[in-house]
Amino acid sequence: MEERRRKIGKWRYIWPMWITLLLHLIAILLFTTGFLLTRTELPYYSHCSDVSQSPCFPSSPNNDSCWTRPSVNRLVIIVLDALRFDFVAPSSFFAESKPWMDKLPILKNMSSSRPSSARIFKAIADPPTTSLQRLKGLTTGGLPTFVDVGNSFGAPAIVEDNFINQLFQNGKKVVMMGDDTWTQLFPHHFERSYPYPSFNVKDLHTVDNGCIEHLFPSLYEEDWDVLIAHFLGVDHAGHIFGVDSTPMIEKLDQYNNHLERVIEVLESQSGPGGLHENTLLVVMGDHGQTLNGDHGGGSAEEVETAIFAMSFKEPLSSVPPEFDSYSCQIDLDGKNVCISSMQQLDFAATMSALLGIPFPYGSIGRINPELYALGAGSWKSGASQKQPESDIWMKSYANALCINAWQVKRYIDAYSASSAVGFSHDDLSQIASVYAQAENHWLNSTKKLLLDKDNGSDALMPALKWQINAYFNFLTTVAELARSKWTEFDLNMMGTGIGIMLISLAFQVFAILRAAKQHGVNSSLLSGNSSIITSSTFTLFLLGIRSCSLLSNSYILEEGKVANFLLSTSGIVALRQSVIKEKLLTESIGFLLLSTLCRFAIEVGLSKQAATSAFMKDYSSWIANIASNLPVWDYTEKFIPMLVLILLAFWLFKATNRSFFDWPWKYVILGTILSYMLIVVHWITGSDEFGVALMPESIGRNYIPRIVYAIALGQLLLLACGQLFKLNSLDCKKNLVAKTTAMLSAWSSTVILLSGKQGPIIAVASIVGGYCIMRLDNIEEASKDRPGRSFSIMQWSLFATCVFFCSGHWCAFDGLRYGAAFIGFEEFMLVRQAILLAIDTYGFSIILPVFGLPFLVATKYQDNLGKHFLFTQLSQMYTTYGFITAVVTTFTILCVTIQRRHLMVWGLFAPKFVFDVFELILTDVLICLASIYYFDQGNNDDPELKSSDC
């Protein structure tokens, strides 16, 4: 019966936190369902017979192909993941030469020596630029949407029509090797496949070596029509080391050697009757990458990649200049190199046309004229000697575009009829008008001229050029409309989600007032206590500015600076109070100095995105790289983090000497001290000077981090057991301090380890900042009638946000430090790596601040106030902290709702939404767990009871 009364007493204080979590989950689920929708995937597939419904000519009289006249017999596709455009284009195309440029000379040499049969293209990808979206876009010819980002770590099979499916359905045999994402997307479509795990970013060679092992033997085999080899080394080198790094240069040199060998093998068998007489080689990237090796957004570095295409049969004469997009420059060797431009959206349609198979049903790309021309050499044997080569190409290309435009119009009509929210009536009218204009010209002019054998080039060529331009206009119109209006936002679901978020905010305000009323502070509010009103008003003012700033894309980009400005403003207010009260001047000035240092650290952290290699080391710390060019700093940056960590361990050891740190808290802290020492050993073994002498590198690199993780897990389990079995004999304040210290120490070792050598510095800064906030909260005299310390909680929240940006993070997927997820592990396991990545990202900014909040209550608690006052203060404090986070997230949700048609919605607003939503849910969950942990001594006593037993 007593245990039941204890549980009832505990839930009296903490039930609002759990209700808030439930409301937030429901609101976010509904809003996300309405906002992050994929486009409707139609269950329709293209077939060879469909082309008879079009106004176009069949491919050939003997019916040996489907929609278009086949131009190539075999296709070799080599995908170099994260291939930046400037990896391929000569450095002469750029204002400044960089170390990673001109490392694939074989490609530019081929394009300069054989300009009619080899081409380099700048290929523009559509964001999001994660591998799943790009592979899906390349094969379907459509525009994948942002929601698929979550599937990048477990790609579902593509069910809509696609290029690989058309190959399979039309009897083409496909062989694949490399990135296992292909076998996840197309599980039953390959004649042979050699997949390798793709998400261990620390492994630069396994996937590439597997590709090489199977690629060259396959080039001599006849049992395939399409060969796909997907290399990952450049992508992984970028994630771990950055673009400007030795491993990246080595990997590009390696690729150049492999590509030279591939071209030699194909060329040696390209003679008449040879295996590769009519083979097309395509070397391409799926997306680019930023200078620090990340991708996912829509910046130029991420969306600009390259495609190199080479035919081994001499093609027809060059494309008419009005349909050619090339620009030329003289490279460093004095050779003339020309580069064209195309959209990745056009890849599926162009490859389908070259192979003579139906286009994917949902493709909205167009057949690229320059790439299509590379396969036209196979038409020479059957061409009339009286026809100029340009005429042969123009006729074939015009008919292929006719089929292309008809297929896209068919898809748009079916999509609008099947989708709940298709294109608007005005959009459909515009599409229909542009298509009707092109179709009428085809039926009434171009087609008749093509059927009339007596017409010469003088009459036919102008009509064909007009026809091609008309189809270009139609296909460009559809692509632009799709990019601007493709995503189907369910405004009802989004509105419902926003409504529930607003209800949750009202409920949190109710919970805050309820907690205040429970310990009798409402009278002071009603009586108009000026200091209370001023403090609360200023807190709301800070919260309002921070929230409203999120409605602007410029302020989202500078969120760290905004938070730091508001933190400094609160520090100035605290300094004013210190001067008036004539106390705590040291803490006030120290807090302002710390805020200034935070501003500097935020600037340095954001500069990670700039054009510099100073932050691209193989560890995640950037603070230690600031002055890496100074010889003294080489030793300082190695030993200062270790010394700081040892000092932290010594401070914890001194804390255990206090009498109230008994079981289980004392043993938890001792475990943390051991973990700190192991982290120091881990860093020493990773250094070049004396790491190997101490122990084998593999032990220090992998096993020591695993031991640290195991100790941390054991500490948390020990604290959980303490909740169940410990009979507490301490007063409330000592009990709260001991439990808080133990919980923070249990988490700190893992957080510091994952943060790299910057971890101890950030930990000390967090301790100093938290101490100053706690001390400055004591400027006003302690009183039981004082309401929840909203001002200090606001400072706590702002400081946590500053720490997030100080540690080199930002709210974008390229701001995640993927390397931290593999500290202690070489192989990829989704759940484990996701947990480690989350701890690294939010350890200092959410996990430690949430569990450290009770210190604010402990500093004001007096023994004669009793446990009821303590628990109501904790309840009010946690509800206020959650309320601040919820308000910020609500404004982010309003921002993405307002800006849902903004050009940067998927590149900026949607990532910010994902980060803030995850932060809100994580904060709510941790608050609920903290409530169970810290409210363990609640009971069903009378609220006014002032017992000191806790």
Side-chain angles (χ1 to χ4, degrees):
M1 180 63 70
E2 182 63 27
E3 181 65 22
R4 182 173 178 272
R5 293 181 63 194
R6 280 187 58 196
K7 292 181 178 179
I8 293 175
K10 177 195 300 186
W11 285 101
R12 180 178 59 180
Y13 299 104
I14 69 176
W15 69 266
M17 306 171 196
W18 291 83
I19 297 297
T20 299
L21 171 61
L22 179 62
L23 289 173
H24 287 164
L25 286 172
I26 295 173
I28 290 170
L29 176 63
L30 292 175
F31 183 87
T32 303
T33 303
F35 176 64
L36 296 182
L37 286 178
T38 57
R39 58 183 173 83
T40 302
E41 296 182 354
L42 301 184
Y44 306 134
Y45 299 86
S46 297
H47 301 91
C48 286
S49 58
D50 294 348
V51 74
S52 62
Q53 304 169 20
S54 75
C56 317
F57 291 111
S59 60
S60 60
N62 57 8
N63 224 9
D64 62 349
S65 60
C66 280
W67 286 16
T68 58
R69 183 178 182 179
S71 303
V72 298
N73 295 334
R74 310 186 95 194
L75 178 63
V76 177
I77 301 175
I78 297 179
V79 181
L80 306 181
D81 207 287
L83 183 72
R84 287 169 58 103
F85 174 62
D86 57 5
F87 287 168
V88 176
S91 58
S92 57
F93 277 78
F94 304 94
E96 183 180 357
S97 179
K98 298 292 184 181
W100 58 85
M101 296 179 181
D102 301 313
K103 299 304 178 184
L104 296 173
I106 182 61
L107 302 183
K108 61 110 173 173
N109 289 341
M110 288 294 102
S111 65
S112 62
S113 61
R114 304 181 183 183
S116 60
S117 58
R119 282 286 184 109
I120 294 175
F121 297 83
K122 176 193 281 189
I124 309 299
D126 290 288
T129 49
T130 54
S131 292
L132 171 65
Q133 285 84 353
R134 294 321 324 136
L135 293 184
K136 193 171 183 179
L138 285 167
T139 56
T140 63
L143 297 173
T145 49
F146 185 85
V147 72
D148 292 324
V149 168
N151 293 329
S152 289
F153 297 95
I158 296 178
V159 295
E160 65 178 319
D161 200 8
N162 58 79
F163 174 60
I164 304 298
N165 178 66
Q166 286 298 330
L167 290 171
F168 179 77
Q169 295 298 329
N170 289 276
K172 304 290 185 182
K173 296 180 180 179
V174 185
V175 173
M176 193 285 305
M177 56 206 68
D179 186 350
D180 63 351
T181 304
W182 287 89
T183 55
Q184 298 174 44
L185 293 174
F186 313 103
H188 308 296
H189 294 76
F190 299 119
E191 182 76 10
R192 288 185 285 115
S193 63
Y194 307 98
Y196 294 87
S198 57
F199 284 106
N200 184 1
V201 294
K202 283 189 173 182
D203 186 350
L204 273 60
H205 306 296
T206 298
V207 177
D208 290 358
N209 292 341
C211 283
I212 296 304
E213 178 185 353
H214 299 288
L215 172 60
F216 290 104
S218 297
L219 293 178
Y220 293 96
E221 296 173 355
E222 301 182 6
D223 63 342
W224 56 267
D225 299 291
V226 176
L227 184 149
I228 300 171
H230 191 143
F231 291 76
L232 285 173
V234 161
D235 179 69
H236 289 184
H239 281 305
I240 299 300
F241 302 102
V243 169
D244 189 5
S245 64
T246 300
M248 179 65 78
I249 304 302
E250 292 174 349
K251 185 57 67 172
L252 291 173
D253 288 337
Q254 181 189 48
Y255 284 177
N256 187 70
N257 295 331
H258 293 326
L259 292 174
E260 280 186 353
R261 186 179 168 195
V262 168
I263 292 174
E264 289 175 3
V265 171
L266 294 177
E267 199 163 29
S268 67
Q269 303 178 75
S270 63
L275 186 60
H276 297 295
E277 178 186 7
N278 197 21
T279 295
L280 180 69
L281 169 66
V282 176
V283 180
M284 62 185 298
D286 52 350
H287 50 74
Q289 57 178 301
T290 61
L291 288 177
N292 58 318
D294 296 312
H295 54 87
S299 68
E301 291 179 308
E302 295 167 280
V303 302
E304 291 180 0
T305 182
I307 292 179
F308 168 83
M310 181 177 181
S311 173
F312 294 89
K313 182 183 283 291
E314 186 64 28
L316 298 174
S317 60
S318 60
V319 177
E322 53 265 48
F323 304 127
D324 207 330
S325 62
Y326 70 87
S327 63
C328 301
Q329 295 282 347
I330 303 298
D331 68 2
L332 297 179
D333 300 325
K335 299 178 181 178
N336 188 50
V337 180
C338 297
I339 295 180
S340 302
S341 180
M342 67 175 291
Q343 299 289 326
Q344 272 196 356
L345 188 68
D346 302 336
F347 179 82
T350 305
M351 293 297 107
S352 298
L354 286 168
L355 289 167
I357 61 175
F359 306 163
Y361 191 93
S363 171
I364 60 171
R366 76 174 187 185
I367 302 171
N368 180 270
E370 299 145 284
L371 193 51
Y372 185 67
L374 291 179
S378 60
W379 304 340
K380 283 186 174 181
S381 58
S384 171
Q385 299 299 320
K386 298 180 180 179
Q387 289 183 318
E389 292 181 350
S390 60
D391 290 13
I392 299 172
W393 180 86
M394 289 277 283
K395 290 178 181 180
S396 178
Y397 185 59
N399 189 63
L401 273 184
C402 176
I403 298 173
N404 190 182
W406 164 81
Q407 169 263 323
V408 171
K409 180 62 165 60
R410 177 185 67 164
Y411 171 66
I412 294 299
D413 291 341
Y415 183 86
S416 299
S418 303
S419 176
V421 187
F423 290 95
S424 69
H425 177 73
D426 291 341
D427 294 338
L428 291 175
S429 297
Q430 180 184 1
I431 292 172
S433 174
V434 177
Y435 180 75
Q437 186 179 15
E439 185 180 33
N440 289 337
H441 188 273
W442 172 267
L443 293 173
N444 298 324
S445 177
T446 308
K447 191 172 185 179
K448 292 179 180 181
L449 290 173
L450 289 171
L451 290 172
D452 189 349
K453 303 297 184 182
D454 296 330
N455 285 310
S457 296
D458 293 341
L460 183 58
M461 288 302 104
L464 287 176
K465 290 180 180 179
W466 193 98
Q467 190 68 57
I468 291 172
N469 283 324
Y471 284 137
F472 276 6
N473 185 32
F474 166 72
L475 293 168
T476 301
T477 299
V478 172
E480 289 177 350
L481 286 173
R483 286 190 177 97
S484 64
K485 301 182 179 181
W486 194 263
T487 307
E488 300 174 3
F489 299 108
D490 189 334
L491 296 180
N492 291 330
M493 294 288 282
M494 293 169 66
T496 304
I498 292 173
I500 296 178
M501 278 298 296
L502 295 176
I503 292 173
S504 73
L505 294 180
F507 176 78
Q508 286 176 291
V509 172
F510 160 77
I512 293 170
L513 296 177
R514 172 181 174 272
K517 185 177 180 179
Q518 281 184 335
H519 58 78
V521 304
N522 57 315
S523 58
S524 62
L525 287 169
L526 295 175
S527 63
N529 187 309
S530 60
S531 64
I532 294 172
I533 295 175
T534 301
S535 175
S536 300
T537 302
F538 188 69
T539 300
L540 292 175
F541 174 73
L542 293 177
L543 180 58
I545 292 179
R546 181 185 175 190
S547 302
C548 291
S549 69
L550 299 175
L551 299 178
S552 166
N553 62 319
S554 300
Y555 280 94
I556 288 178
L557 290 170
E558 304 291 345
E559 183 184 3
K561 297 179 183 178
V562 172
N564 181 259
F565 171 78
L566 297 177
L567 183 67
S568 300
T569 303
S570 71
I572 292 173
V573 172
L575 178 61
R576 175 180 176 273
Q577 287 293 103
S578 296
V579 172
I580 294 174
K581 299 285 184 178
E582 296 182 353
K583 61 180 182 180
L584 300 178
L585 282 173
T586 302
E587 287 81 353
S588 300
I589 296 174
F591 186 72
L592 279 176
L593 290 176
L594 180 63
S595 177
T596 303
L597 291 175
C598 282
R599 174 57 188 266
F600 170 74
I602 290 171
E603 292 280 0
V604 176
L606 291 177
S607 71
K608 186 182 177 185
Q609 306 172 67
T612 173
S613 62
F615 308 101
M616 309 305 168
K617 302 294 183 182
D618 56 345
Y619 49 81
S620 59
S621 305
W622 53 263
I623 289 177
N625 292 323
I626 295 173
S628 57
N629 58 328
L630 299 178
V632 177
W633 190 258
D634 290 338
Y635 295 96
T636 305
E637 58 92 9
K638 289 182 175 67
F639 291 106
I640 284 184
M642 300 180 192
L643 291 175
V644 172
L645 196 57
I646 293 172
L647 288 176
L648 286 174
F650 177 75
W651 177 80
L652 282 176
F653 178 76
K654 294 288 289 184
T656 59
N657 291 332
R658 298 185 180 183
S659 59
F660 57 85
F661 279 99
D662 58 355
W663 184 92
W665 307 312
K666 182 174 183 177
Y667 300 103
V668 169
I669 294 175
L670 290 176
T672 300
I673 295 173
L674 174 61
S675 294
Y676 286 176
M677 296 301 101
L678 289 173
I679 293 172
V680 171
V681 174
H682 169 66
W683 288 339
I684 291 175
T685 56
S687 64
D688 298 330
E689 287 79 7
F690 40 81
V692 177
L694 188 62
M695 66 174 62
E697 184 181 358
S698 60
I699 296 178
R701 186 178 66 248
N702 292 329
Y703 291 102
I704 288 181
R706 296 181 190 181
I707 295 173
V708 173
Y709 301 147
I711 291 174
L713 182 60
Q715 289 172 306
L716 295 176
L717 292 175
L718 187 60
L719 290 175
C721 292
Q723 290 290 103
L724 298 175
F725 304 113
K726 180 175 174 59
L727 297 176
N728 184 42
S729 59
L730 299 176
D731 62 62
C732 290
K733 181 175 181 177
K734 291 181 179 179
N735 179 60
L736 188 62
V737 169
K739 296 184 71 172
T740 305
T741 304
M743 179 59 75
L744 292 178
S745 68
W747 280 99
S748 64
S749 56
T750 301
V751 174
I752 290 173
L753 173 64
L754 295 177
S755 297
K757 291 184 180 179
Q758 67 183 4
I761 311 298
I762 298 175
V764 170
S766 300
I767 292 171
V768 173
Y771 173 79
C772 290
I773 293 173
M774 289 186 291
R775 292 285 292 158
L776 294 174
D777 191 39
N778 289 325
I779 291 179
E780 297 291 338
E781 293 299 326
S783 170
K784 78 165 190 174
D785 291 333
R786 187 184 176 198
R789 44 195 54 80
S790 59
F791 182 68
S792 58
I793 295 173
M794 186 68 209
Q795 286 183 307
W796 199 275
S797 176
L798 288 171
F799 185 65
T801 302
C802 289
V803 169
F804 175 82
F805 290 95
C806 285
S807 55
H809 295 98
W810 59 91
C811 293
F813 294 109
D814 57 358
L816 296 173
R817 292 198 295 252
Y818 297 100
F822 290 90
I823 293 178
F825 301 96
E826 297 290 345
E827 67 281 357
F828 174 79
M829 183 180 295
L830 176 61
V831 175
R832 180 182 64 205
Q833 264 60 56
I835 292 173
L836 293 178
L837 187 61
I839 294 175
D840 170 66
T841 305
Y842 294 109
F844 280 115
S845 60
I846 296 182
I847 297 175
L848 297 182
V850 167
F851 284 117
L853 270 171
F855 279 133
L856 288 177
V857 174
T859 57
K860 298 295 294 184
Y861 180 76
Q862 299 178 12
D863 292 343
N864 62 338
L865 295 178
K867 58 183 173 297
H868 174 71
F869 177 85
L870 178 70
F871 294 145
T872 52
Q873 282 280 288
L874 281 173
S875 176
Q876 186 182 21
M877 177 195 63
Y878 270 122
T879 307
T880 303
Y881 191 85
F883 174 75
I884 292 172
T885 306
V887 169
V888 173
T889 304
T890 301
F891 272 80
T892 299
I893 290 174
L894 292 174
C895 174
V896 298
T897 303
I898 296 170
Q899 307 284 5
R900 64 187 182 277
R901 296 299 182 190
H902 193 281
L903 180 65
M904 299 177 67
V905 62
W906 303 121
L908 175 64
F909 297 113
K912 171 63 176 170
F913 165 77
V914 171
F915 272 76
D916 277 11
V917 161
F918 186 86
E919 178 180 342
L920 175 63
I921 296 302
L922 180 60
T923 300
D924 284 345
V925 169
L926 292 178
I927 285 175
C928 290
L929 294 177
S931 69
I932 295 176
Y933 178 70
Y934 291 121
F935 289 73
D936 66 314
Q937 297 298 324
N939 58 40
N940 206 29
D941 293 341
D942 185 272
E944 299 301 323
L945 187 63
K946 303 297 182 183
S947 170
S948 62
D949 178 26
C950 207

